[in-house]
Structure formats: structure tokens, C-alpha cells
Amino acid sequence: MSVRPALSTPLHPALLEHAARRGASLQNRIADRITTFAGSMLFVYVHVLWFGVWIGFRVEHYPFGLLTMIVSLEAIFLSTFVMISQNRADEKRQVLADNQWKIVQTEEAQNEELIQLSHKILDLTTAIHEMTSSTTRAVPPSGAAPGGASSSLPTD
């Protein structure tokens, strides 16, 4: 029986790098395994069975002082592992946020470069338009003589 369905490997490069860094530490790997188990239904089933056996076979008599102490200690450790898990989730969010910020900065630089290129293209287009307009004014359309004189072609 599996503890919990395995999460797929992250696709995001920043999360892959973060997982590799986190997996390098034995402490982190142990904490990840414990939080994975503690967050599963298998954990619940084991505890239901354990409490049932403890009470059913009368390991101790009511009010179950030893069981209460064991469960209290377990709760202390589990709350610590919950906080570790939350810290891990915060680290992942921070990695993604940092990566997104780098992407935004790169896109902003690219947009500025595109705006500059657009301005250069506009300047060149304006210059070409002015040159064509001045050339068109200086050279009359074909068939007309310069200065507005009529053509010297014979008419029948």
C-alpha cells in the first residue's frame, strides 16, 4: 500500500534546482518522508488500529495516562513537521517568485529594446517618406515636360 500518490517531478527548472538542493540534505529528506507519511490516510489507519488495540487489549486502564502522554508527544513532533512542511512550501513559492521576477526583468529589457528599434524604424520610414515626397515633387510624372510645358510630341 502506498503512503500517498507520488507527486510528479516538477517541470519548472527553478523547482528542479530547488528540489536537488533540498534533496542533498539528509535532514530534509527525513523531514520530507515524515511529512509525506503523516499527511496520508495510512497514518490515520495506523493510529485507529493502534488506539483500538491499546484500548481493546487493555494495555492500560482508563484514563489512559501513558497513551495520552504518547499522543501528546507525537502531536508536538507532528506540529513541528507541519511547520517544516509549510517552510518548504514557502521556499518553493519564493523560488518561483524569484524566477518570475527574473523573467519579468528580462522581458522588460527586451520590450525597451523593441521600443528603441520601433523608434529607429519609424525615423527611417519618415526619412524615406520625405525623400520620396521630395523626389516626386522634383521629377514630374512621365509625359509632362519640366516646368509645366506641354509635350513636344506630334498630335494628329
Side-chain angles (χ1 to χ4, degrees):
M1 174 190 299
S2 123
V3 173
R4 179 170 94 183
L7 297 174
S8 62
T9 304
L11 299 177
H12 200 289
L15 286 180
L16 286 171
E17 180 184 332
H18 176 262
R21 279 195 323 263
R22 184 162 178 81
S25 167
L26 178 63
Q27 294 181 107
N28 288 336
R29 289 194 310 270
I30 292 170
D32 290 346
R33 295 277 167 88
I34 291 172
T35 54
T36 300
F37 175 67
S40 70
M41 283 305 293
L42 180 59
F43 180 81
V44 173
Y45 299 143
V46 166
H47 280 74
V48 167
L49 180 66
W50 174 31
F51 296 153
V53 168
W54 191 280
I55 295 168
F57 287 118
R58 298 193 174 267
V59 173
E60 68 174 325
H61 295 292
Y62 182 81
F64 312 113
L66 180 60
L67 180 63
T68 303
M69 183 186 71
I70 292 170
V71 171
S72 296
L73 286 172
E74 182 183 34
I76 290 169
F77 284 107
L78 287 177
S79 65
T80 302
F81 286 113
V82 166
M83 288 186 278
I84 289 170
S85 180
Q86 288 174 338
N87 288 342
R88 181 180 62 202
D90 286 343
E91 288 172 1
K92 286 181 180 179
R93 281 191 288 274
Q94 185 64 48
V95 164
L96 287 175
D98 291 346
N99 186 267
Q100 187 64 32
W101 179 250
K102 288 177 187 174
I103 290 170
V104 166
Q105 294 300 309
T106 302
E107 287 175 349
E108 188 174 329
Q110 288 173 347
N111 288 342
E112 286 297 324
E113 186 178 339
L114 287 172
I115 289 171
Q116 290 174 358
L117 287 172
S118 295
H119 285 298
K120 288 179 181 177
I121 290 171
L122 178 64
D123 292 343
L124 287 172
T125 305
T126 305
I128 290 171
H129 179 69
E130 287 175 2
M131 286 173 48
T132 7
S133 294
S134 65
T135 305
T136 305
R137 274 185 260 128
V139 177
S142 65
S150 61
S151 172
S152 61
L153 294 174
T155 57
D156 289 321

